């Protein structure tokens, strides 16, 4: 196991912490599917929203040790992968804020929850 500057007892914190937002975004997707397909009970919709928000907060927490690890990379190949990961996250963050329909109550599914769930499913 690789030791990173942001680790506890040789366990990298970023790798540990990203499991929470990924799991929360998947749970949010499941709650939304249950709400849309099986039950129109508002509690499922509310659980999906809270899981989504908790996933975003968890992703922000996981980003801190991720940035610490990123700035300590010495291997050029690992640096390229880390830079691609970092750029994709920043592009996603700013593109979802500027996309039409985001955050508006237009009756369509907001793109921020969709993008968050897709990224959670992809493991990014």
């Amino acid at each position: 196991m690789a030791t990173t500057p942001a680790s506890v007892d040789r366990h990298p914190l970023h790798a540990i912490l990203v499991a929470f937002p990924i799991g929360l975004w998947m749970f949010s997707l499941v709650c939304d599917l249950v709400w849309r397909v099986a039950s129109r009970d508002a509690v499922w919709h509310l659980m999906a929203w809270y899981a989504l928000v908790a996933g975003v907060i968890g992703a922000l927490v996981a980003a801190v040790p991720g940035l610490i690890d990123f700035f300590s990379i010495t291997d050029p190949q690992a640096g390229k992968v880390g830079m691609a990961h970092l750029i994709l996250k920043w592009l996603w963050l700013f593109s979802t804020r500027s996309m039409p329909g985001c955050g508006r109550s237009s009756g369509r599914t907001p793109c921020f929850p969709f993008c968050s769930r897709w990224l959670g499913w992809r493991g990014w």
Side-chain angles (χ1 to χ4, degrees):
M1 181 179 308
T3 304
T4 66
S7 61
V8 174
D9 196 24
R10 296 187 338 212
H11 295 285
L13 284 176
H14 181 70
I16 294 168
L17 293 174
V18 296
F20 293 105
I22 292 171
L24 285 164
W25 287 332
M26 291 297 93
F27 181 66
S28 177
L29 176 63
V30 169
C31 289
D32 254 356
L33 290 174
V34 168
W35 178 70
R36 291 181 187 275
V37 176
S39 168
R40 295 301 279 184
D41 191 5
V43 72
W44 288 104
H45 188 64
L46 191 62
M47 281 193 322
W49 178 251
Y50 281 125
L52 180 69
V53 170
V56 170
I57 292 168
L60 292 173
V61 170
V64 173
L67 282 172
I68 293 169
D69 290 344
F70 174 72
F71 288 118
S72 68
I73 293 175
T74 57
D75 179 27
Q77 184 62 28
K80 288 179 185 177
V81 172
M83 182 60 79
H85 182 72
L86 182 68
I87 289 171
L88 284 172
K89 291 300 156 198
W90 280 105
L91 286 175
W92 165 79
L93 177 67
F94 290 112
S95 68
T96 55
R97 292 183 56 116
S98 62
M99 290 176 81
C102 284
R104 298 184 188 146
S105 55
S106 60
R108 294 178 290 170
T109 302
C111 61
F112 184 74
F114 174 75
C115 293
S116 297
R117 291 179 187 132
W118 184 81
L119 288 171
W121 173 70
R122 296 289 302 154
W124 279 84

